[in-house]
Amino acid sequence: MASGELALILLAAGEGTRMRSQLPKVLHPVCGRPILLHAVRLGREIGAKRIVVVVGRGEDRVRDALAGEEVELVRQEQQLGTGHAALRAAELLGDHAGPILVTNGDHPLYRPQTFAALLDAYRAESADLALLTAHSPEPEGYGRVVRDSDGKPERIVEETEAQNEIRAISEVNLGAYVAEAELLFHSLAQIGNKNRKGEFYLTDLLELVAESGRRVASFAVEDWNEALGVNTRADLAKAEAAMRERIAERWMREGVTLIDPGQTYIEIDVEIGADTVISPGVMLRGATRVGSGCRIDAGSVIEDSTLGDGVWIKSHCSIEQSEIGSDCEVGPSAHLRPDSQLSDGVRVGNFVEIKNSRLGRGTKADHLSYIGDATVGSGVTIGCGAITVNYDGREKYRTTIGDGAFVGCNANLIAPVEVAAEAYVAAGSTITNRVPEGSLAVARARQRNIEGWRKRRFGSNED
Ligand code: UD1
Ligand code: CA
C-alpha cells in the first residue's frame, strides 16, 4: 500500500518541432491558459505536494510563465528524450516518499478525476507502476500499449518503431505513469537509446518494470477527448475546441444563455453571472468578469474587464482592462481602452473611444467621441464628435468635466482644461481655458453671411 505525499513531474523541455513556432510548445495557450499551466493547475487539484517541471527548450520563457506558481524547476540541457527528461527530476525527488506521477506537459485536457482514478488503481492493486491509457479511434502518433496473454500491460511501442500489427492496436499510451522514487529513477537510469530516433524513451519504463515481475496496473480514460496530446497546430485547434465546449457547457449549466455555444469564445478564467445572454462571435478573455442579466451582442471582444449587472454591450465593441458599472450601454462599435471606468447607467454609443478615463453615473457619450485621460462627472452629456485633446506630441494631459455639464457637438477640449459643473460648451468650440460653473463657453468664429456671393462668383447662367 503506497503512502506518503504525491509528487508530480511535468515534462516540458522538448523541442516541439512539429509546432514550427518560436514559442515553446507548452506555452501555446488553450482557451487563454498555456498548456503547461493547465497541467500545473491539475497537479494542484489532485493534491500534488511537489510539482517538478523539467525545462529546456525556451527555458526562460517557460520560467516566466511559471512565475507565481509553486513549482520547482530542473533543467534538461539536451533534449535526449522523455526518459532522459524524467530522470533529471531525480535530483529533486530521488528521496521522495510517496507516489510520483510523471506526465507530459503537453496534455491540456485531463480532468482531475482521471488522475485520481489512475492513483486509485495504483493503490488498490498495490501496483509498482500504474499507466494511463486510452482506447482511441485515432491512435496515430501515439505509443501503442501491448498486453500479455493475461491482459497485463507488457510494453509500449512508439509508432515510429511499430510494425503493422502493432499499429493496429487501438490502446494508446498517454505518457502518464505512477511509481515510487526508488523504482522509477532506478529503472529510468537503465533505459537505453537504441531505437530509430536515438532517444531515451520513457515508455521503456513499462517493459523494464513488467519484465522484473513487478505489478503493473493501468487505467483507461473514459472520455477519449481528454487524451489529446498537443504536437501540432492542428492538435492545438482540437484542444481549443474541446476545452471551449467544456467551458460553454459549464456556463450554460450556471444559467448563461449562449445563442451558439460553438461560436462563443470564453477563456478559462472568465466568470459570468446567470441570465446573461451571449451572441455568436463574442470573445471573453483573460480575467473578465461579467455580471448577471447582461447582454453581449455579436462580435464583441472583452479582455481583462469587469461588467456589472444588466449591462448591454452591443455588437462589435472592443473592451480592454476596463470597468463597466451596472445598467450601462456600450456600442455598437465602441472602443474602451485600458483603464476606462464607467459608473452605473453610463451610455457610450457608436464610434466612441475611451481611454484612461472615468465617467460618472448616467453620463452619456452617444456618438463619435474620443475621451482620453479625462475625469467626467455624473449626468454629463458629451455631444457627437466632441473630443478631449489630450496629447501635444510629447505629453499627455488631463481633462476634467464636472457633474451635469454639457459639451456640445464637435467641441475640442484642449487639455489640461476643466469644464466645471453645470457648464455648457457651445458646439464647435475649441476650449483652452477653464469654463466656470454654470456658464456657457463659446469659442468659435461668429457666423457671417455674405449676401449674393454665389451670383457674383459664378454669374447668373452658371449651369
Ligand atoms: C510521448 C510518448 C508516447 C505517447 C505520447 C502521449 C515517449 C517516447 N512517447 O510521445 O508513447 O503516446 O507521448 O502524448 O515518451 N520532452 C522533454 N524532453 C525531451 C523530449 C520531450 O521534456 O527530451 C517533453 C516534451 O516537452 C513534451 C513531453 O515530454 O511535453 C512529450 O514529448 P513529445 O515529444 O511530445 O512525445 P510524443 O511524441 O508525443
Ligand atoms: Ca506529445
Side-chain angles (χ1 to χ4, degrees):
M1 180 70 194
S3 60
E5 289 176 339
L6 175 67
L8 174 63
I9 301 173
L10 286 175
L11 307 183
E15 293 284 352
T17 322
R18 290 162 281 183
M19 292 294 280
R20 295 181 176 273
S21 178
Q22 296 291 316
L23 186 67
K25 175 175 77 174
V26 293
L27 295 189
H28 280 263
V30 169
C31 291
R33 182 184 287 171
I35 296 170
L36 181 60
L37 264 294
H38 283 282
V40 169
R41 298 287 164 84
L42 187 80
R44 290 275 168 258
E45 285 175 46
I46 60 167
K49 289 290 176 292
R50 294 179 69 184
I51 299 180
V52 173
V53 184
V54 184
V55 298
R57 163 79 211 284
E59 185 194 337
D60 292 343
R61 295 176 79 167
V62 175
R63 206 177 274 276
D64 287 350
L66 290 169
E69 300 291 329
E70 258 183 66
V71 296
E72 300 164 71
L73 302 184
V74 66
R75 282 176 88 170
Q76 184 195 23
E77 299 281 349
Q78 281 181 292
Q79 281 61 66
L80 301 178
T82 48
H84 179 261
L87 185 56
R88 295 293 302 115
E91 200 173 278
L92 293 169
L93 293 174
D95 297 328
H96 181 76
I100 300 178
L101 169 62
V102 185
T103 181
N104 292 349
D106 62 356
H107 283 247
L109 296 170
Y110 286 133
R111 292 189 169 91
Q113 304 88 288
T114 298
F115 280 165
L118 177 66
L119 287 159
D120 281 350
Y122 173 74
R123 294 191 179 106
E125 296 176 35
S126 302
D128 297 298
L129 174 72
L131 179 75
L132 189 65
T133 75
H135 294 281
S136 166
E138 302 164 12
E140 293 74 27
Y142 291 83
R144 307 296 204 281
V145 179
V146 179
R147 290 179 179 263
D148 67 13
S149 48
D150 299 330
K152 284 278 166 201
E154 189 178 48
R155 65 198 164 99
I156 296 162
V157 184
E158 286 306 285
E159 183 156 281
T160 41
E161 319 284 328
Q163 309 290 329
N164 283 343
E165 72 271 22
I166 290 199
R167 285 179 186 223
I169 296 173
S170 65
E171 188 179 12
V172 299
N173 166 45
L174 296 186
Y177 322 80
V178 186
E180 298 253 342
E182 196 182 316
L183 175 68
L184 177 68
F185 296 122
H186 176 77
S187 308
L188 289 178
Q190 291 174 36
I191 289 176
N193 65 349
K194 292 206 171 53
N195 50 52
R196 291 224 174 125
K197 286 194 174 167
E199 286 186 1
F200 296 87
Y201 288 161
L202 176 52
T203 46
D204 288 354
L205 177 67
L206 172 59
E207 194 171 3
L208 282 167
V209 172
E211 237 171 31
S212 66
R214 297 187 187 248
R215 296 175 76 94
V216 178
S218 68
F219 176 76
V221 294
E222 275 146 25
D223 176 5
W224 157 242
N225 277 320
E226 266 188 63
L228 184 80
V230 174
N231 294 324
T232 63
R233 304 265 181 172
D235 294 333
L236 187 66
K238 279 188 206 162
E240 181 87 21
M243 181 73 73
R244 180 155 69 233
E245 191 177 323
R246 256 190 227 176
I247 294 171
E249 277 166 11
R250 170 183 171 203
W251 291 114
M252 290 191 285
R253 269 199 310 278
E254 302 277 338
V256 175
T257 295
L258 304 180
I259 290 176
D260 184 351
Q263 304 242 39
T264 309
Y265 306 83
I266 304 169
E267 289 188 351
I268 194 153
D269 291 323
V270 169
E271 288 185 14
I272 312 169
D275 284 325
T276 284
V277 178
I278 303 179
S279 287
V282 168
M283 302 186 111
L284 301 180
R285 293 185 158 151
T288 292
R289 306 270 171 279
V290 177
S292 54
C294 294
R295 168 176 163 184
I296 306 178
D297 290 348
S300 283
V301 180
I302 306 178
E303 185 164 323
D304 294 325
S305 295
T306 305
L307 277 61
D309 299 329
V311 172
W312 183 9
I313 306 294
K314 299 176 192 179
S315 59
H316 303 292
C317 290
S318 172
I319 298 173
E320 311 143 67
Q321 292 166 44
S322 292
E323 272 178 52
I324 299 176
S326 293
D327 304 313
C328 289
E329 282 183 31
V330 177
S333 300
H335 188 185
L336 302 196
R337 290 169 52 206
D339 300 315
S340 297
Q341 276 178 276
L342 311 188
S343 309
D344 295 350
V346 163
R347 219 164 68 196
V348 171
N350 42 210
F351 307 110
V352 172
E353 175 180 336
I354 300 179
K355 184 213 75 170
N356 184 28
S357 293
R358 191 179 175 286
L359 274 59
R361 214 171 242 274
T363 283
K364 295 191 286 267
D366 280 331
H367 343 259
L368 301 153
S369 277
Y370 172 60
I371 302 172
D373 303 314
T375 306
V376 182
S378 56
V380 171
T381 300
I382 307 278
C384 176
I387 274 171
T388 55
V389 183
N390 62 327
Y391 186 51
D392 64 3
R394 290 195 181 182
E395 305 275 340
K396 303 264 167 65
Y397 301 95
R398 289 202 73 82
T399 300
T400 306
I401 303 175
D403 294 345
F406 183 102
V407 179
C409 292
N410 258 18
N412 297 311
L413 306 179
I414 313 271
V417 75
E418 182 188 353
V419 177
E422 307 288 333
Y424 270 69
V425 171
S429 293
T430 293
I431 300 296
T432 50
N433 298 318
R434 180 171 190 275
V435 182
E437 189 164 335
S439 59
L440 168 68
V442 187
R444 63 183 184 219
R446 197 172 268 284
Q447 181 172 333
R448 192 160 65 98
N449 293 339
I450 303 171
E451 299 280 343
W453 181 86
R454 182 184 175 118
K455 199 169 176 189
R456 281 206 299 284
R457 174 71 178 80
F458 298 111
S460 54
N461 297 319
E462 94 228 31
D463 44 24

